[in-house]
Amino acid sequence: MTTIAWDGIKLVSDSQGTAGVIIQPSNFKKIYEPGEGEYWDVLGIRVIAAGISGDGKAIEIIKEKLRTGIDHKTRVDELDEVAFGVLLITEEGQCYRWQMNKRQGRPTHMDLLQLLPPAAAGSGQTFALSVLSIGKNAETAVRVACRHDKYSGGDLQIWELPPKPAVKSKRPVVAEPTPA
C-alpha cells in the first residue's frame, strides 16, 4: 500500500510499490494534480492535488471520477475488488479523505470525510498520524512510517499548497454540441 500525510502545508507520500508481500524497487507516483485543462472536484470544491494509496489499478478510475466530480454517492463499480484511500487537497487548503474497500464486487466500507490537518492515509497512516500528532511535519511523518510499515518506502514525493486564489474557482461550463 503506501503512506500519505498532510500537515496543512505539504502533502507527502512514499514511492514504494508492492505486489502482495513483494517490494518492487521503483519510484511509483502517488501524488497527482489535474492535467492541463482538467478540473477535479469534491462536493463542488476544486481539488488541486490527490495523494492515492491502495490498488494501483484504481488510479485512472479515481482520476476519472474526480474529473466528473465526487460526492457522498459516488461509487466505483468498474473494478471487482479494490481498496483505496485518497487524500484530496482543495485550492482553499481543505483536506478530504475518500476511501473504499470492496470484496467480491461489493463495497464493504466507503466514506468521504472532510479532515482537519493533520491527516494520513494508507497502510502507514497510524505511524504517520502518531508523528504528526506531536507537531512534526508530513515529511518526518512519512519517513518514520517508512521505517515501520513494510508496505511503505523509497524516496519521498512532496507537493506544497500554493497560495489561495483571490477568487474561488468554479467548474467550467461545457457547451453542448450543436446538432448537425
Side-chain angles (χ1 to χ4, degrees):
M1 215 165 168
T2 199
T3 302
I4 299 173
W6 169 246
D7 60 17
I9 299 168
K10 291 183 180 178
L11 182 66
V12 180
S13 78
D14 72 313
S15 62
Q16 176 178 287
T18 55
V21 295
I22 298 171
I23 296 170
Q24 299 174 332
S26 297
N27 279 340
F28 284 92
K29 184 175 181 174
K30 299 181 181 184
I31 297 177
Y32 298 87
E33 297 176 281
E36 185 69 34
E38 283 186 315
Y39 189 95
W40 293 357
D41 82 61
V42 57
L43 300 172
I45 304 166
R46 184 173 185 202
V47 172
I48 58 173
I52 302 176
S53 70
D55 293 340
K57 59 188 173 186
I59 293 169
E60 289 307 314
I61 292 170
I62 291 167
K63 288 168 36 178
E64 182 58 36
K65 297 291 183 182
L66 286 167
R67 286 180 198 107
T68 59
I70 65 169
D71 61 25
H72 296 288
K73 296 177 186 175
T74 303
R75 298 285 182 252
V76 177
D77 297 323
E78 294 86 336
L79 299 171
D80 196 27
E81 291 193 19
V82 68
F84 64 78
V86 184
L87 292 183
L88 304 167
I89 309 303
T90 71
E91 68 182 354
E92 297 284 320
Q94 299 161 312
C95 178
Y96 288 83
R97 184 187 71 202
W98 185 32
Q99 180 174 325
M100 186 179 79
N101 295 319
K102 278 173 94 172
R103 297 292 177 261
Q104 297 174 344
R106 292 188 166 144
T108 58
H109 174 80
M110 183 163 192
D111 65 26
L112 175 63
L113 301 169
Q114 184 175 2
L115 304 174
L116 296 174
S123 57
Q125 73 180 347
T126 302
F127 299 114
L129 285 171
S130 295
V131 173
L132 289 164
S133 73
I134 61 169
K136 301 294 183 183
N137 64 30
E139 290 178 60
T140 302
V142 174
R143 285 188 204 288
V144 169
C146 288
R147 285 200 305 258
H148 298 289
D149 175 40
K150 68 180 178 180
Y151 298 109
S152 299
D155 296 331
L156 299 188
Q157 298 171 8
I158 302 168
W159 177 90
E160 192 165 341
L161 182 68
K164 291 181 184 177
V167 178
K168 205 175 193 178
S169 297
K170 293 183 182 178
R171 179 173 284 283
V173 177
V174 178
E176 294 292 322
T178 55

